[in-house]
Amino acid sequence: MLVIREVVAELERPVILFSGGKDSAVLLHVALKAYYPAKPPLTLLHVDTGHNFPEVLEYRDRQVGRYGLRLEVARVQDYLDDGRLSERADGTRNPLQTLPLLDAIAEHRFDGVFGGARRDEEKARAKERIVSLRNEFGQWDPRGQRPELWSLFNPRHRPGEHVRVFPLSNWTELDIWRYIEREQIDLPSLYFAHEREVFQRDGMWLAVGEHNTVRANETVETRTVRYRTVGDMSCTGAVVSDAAAVDDIVRETALSTVSERGATRADDRITEAAMEDRKKEGYF
């Protein structure tokens, strides 16, 4: 909470990236607590790929209405429709989020963008500072990070630049779930075990849906699964699990030896440095 209050105090137009996933849900909860009983002075921003799980969009809108918050949505589909972006051959839209994100930051003049990314998710994110400077093009230079000795954070920036802020950087997936359990935070239903039609591709269980075309050599099965992370339906895999309650997930997560992104996100497998390449371009 201190990170949020201290950094927001030095910003003019802060925003929270809110995807409806568990990390952004926890980040929003922390922000709400930081300013309770007032509303937090932060807008919410969702970069909508158009391939989102319906449960996540329903949860996003429910939380916005519940707390009376302002939501801005940047839609990848708008960029595809007017030719600013083109569909990828692999069908995933997650890597296409960068341009809509940077345009939304510029349009609304957001100078501080809060995200729920954690260092344990992926090795490129392990290089990220809690307060990370982005240049006038929204790009990240991992070699140009500011020191954060004694938990002192510097969000100062020149006109045209902005900072990304990751208050949950040092949390682990297990920390997230223990906090959700303690605070009884509401989440989208797909995080909990449920029956779903899925098929296996590249070692992952993908959901059957309008954004996933089942190939001739793939078999559709009904399995009890849940999701550890949220992204495009076309690149986010489920895990076979009977964990239907938060305490079940806490126990399951404590035994896991693979991060949620490493286990279930195809977009991070494009190249060895897929996430770092995208972050340098402006991705969150």
Side-chain angles (χ1 to χ4, degrees):
M1 289 189 284
L2 287 175
V3 174
I4 295 176
R5 286 199 295 257
E6 288 181 9
V7 175
V8 166
E10 297 194 46
L11 299 172
E12 293 184 6
R13 294 175 180 270
V15 66
I16 291 178
L17 292 173
F18 189 71
S19 66
K22 67 183 187 305
D23 299 311
S24 60
V26 166
L27 180 58
L28 175 59
H29 184 83
V30 172
L32 290 165
K33 289 185 69 173
Y35 291 96
Y36 183 83
K39 288 195 295 187
L42 297 106
T43 300
L44 302 186
L45 171 63
H46 182 209
V47 183
D48 184 352
T49 66
H51 285 183
N52 297 283
F53 289 90
E55 298 96 324
V56 174
L57 294 181
E58 186 277 330
Y59 170 81
R60 178 200 72 184
D61 295 340
R62 187 171 75 245
Q63 293 298 89
V64 169
R66 177 181 180 182
Y67 297 111
L69 301 172
R70 176 187 168 197
L71 172 69
E72 297 290 346
V73 180
R75 293 179 172 82
V76 170
Q77 187 62 53
D78 292 342
Y79 286 70
L80 295 170
D81 290 343
D82 64 20
R84 285 177 287 175
L85 290 173
S86 300
E87 292 279 15
R88 293 171 50 89
D90 59 11
T92 182
R93 289 186 176 181
N94 265 20
L96 302 182
Q97 294 178 87
T98 301
L99 181 58
L101 170 64
L102 295 179
D103 284 353
I105 291 171
E107 177 186 351
H108 299 287
R109 293 183 290 132
F110 295 132
D111 57 351
V113 182
F114 286 75
R118 310 185 324 270
R119 291 185 176 124
D120 75 323
E121 290 181 90
E122 204 274 341
K123 59 187 178 182
R125 284 183 166 165
K127 300 178 182 180
E128 191 84 73
R129 294 284 194 263
I130 291 177
V131 177
S132 179
L133 182 68
R134 294 297 194 272
N135 66 20
E136 63 271 27
F137 303 107
Q139 296 171 332
W140 173 64
D141 179 4
R143 296 171 297 180
Q145 306 247 5
R146 295 165 171 171
E148 293 181 339
L149 303 175
W150 305 293
S151 296
L152 297 175
F153 307 110
N154 179 9
R156 296 179 182 175
H157 55 280
R158 291 175 292 191
E161 298 177 338
H162 70 276
V163 293
R164 305 280 174 92
V165 189
F166 304 103
L168 309 182
S169 279
N170 294 329
W171 294 38
T172 65
E173 184 184 8
L174 185 57
D175 292 333
I176 291 291
W177 280 108
R178 283 175 170 163
Y179 189 76
I180 289 167
E181 181 179 37
R182 190 187 83 184
E183 299 290 311
Q184 299 183 340
I185 299 173
D186 184 29
L187 289 178
S189 60
L190 83 174
Y191 277 109
F192 304 95
H194 59 285
E195 284 195 347
R196 187 180 287 264
E197 286 191 332
V198 294
F199 60 94
Q200 198 159 45
R201 178 181 297 166
D202 298 329
M204 297 192 306
W205 291 103
L206 297 179
V208 174
E210 62 176 310
H211 307 302
N212 285 331
T213 302
V214 182
R215 299 168 184 167
N217 63 335
E218 295 170 337
T219 303
V220 175
E221 304 178 34
T222 300
R223 290 199 168 231
T224 301
V225 299
R226 72 176 187 88
Y227 287 84
R228 292 176 64 185
T229 184
V230 166
D232 275 10
M233 291 184 70
S234 54
C235 70
T236 305
V239 293
V240 175
S241 171
D242 293 318
V246 174
D247 57 339
D248 298 326
I249 295 174
V250 169
R251 286 191 291 270
E252 186 176 273
T253 303
L255 298 174
S256 177
T257 58
V258 182
S259 76
E260 66 264 45
R261 292 193 72 96
T264 65
R265 292 294 288 271
D267 54 323
D268 289 342
R269 303 179 184 182
I270 296 170
T271 69
E272 183 71 17
M275 175 62 78
E276 182 160 336
D277 291 342
R278 280 184 285 159
K279 285 177 68 63
K280 287 178 179 178
E281 295 171 356
Y283 188 77
F284 32 91

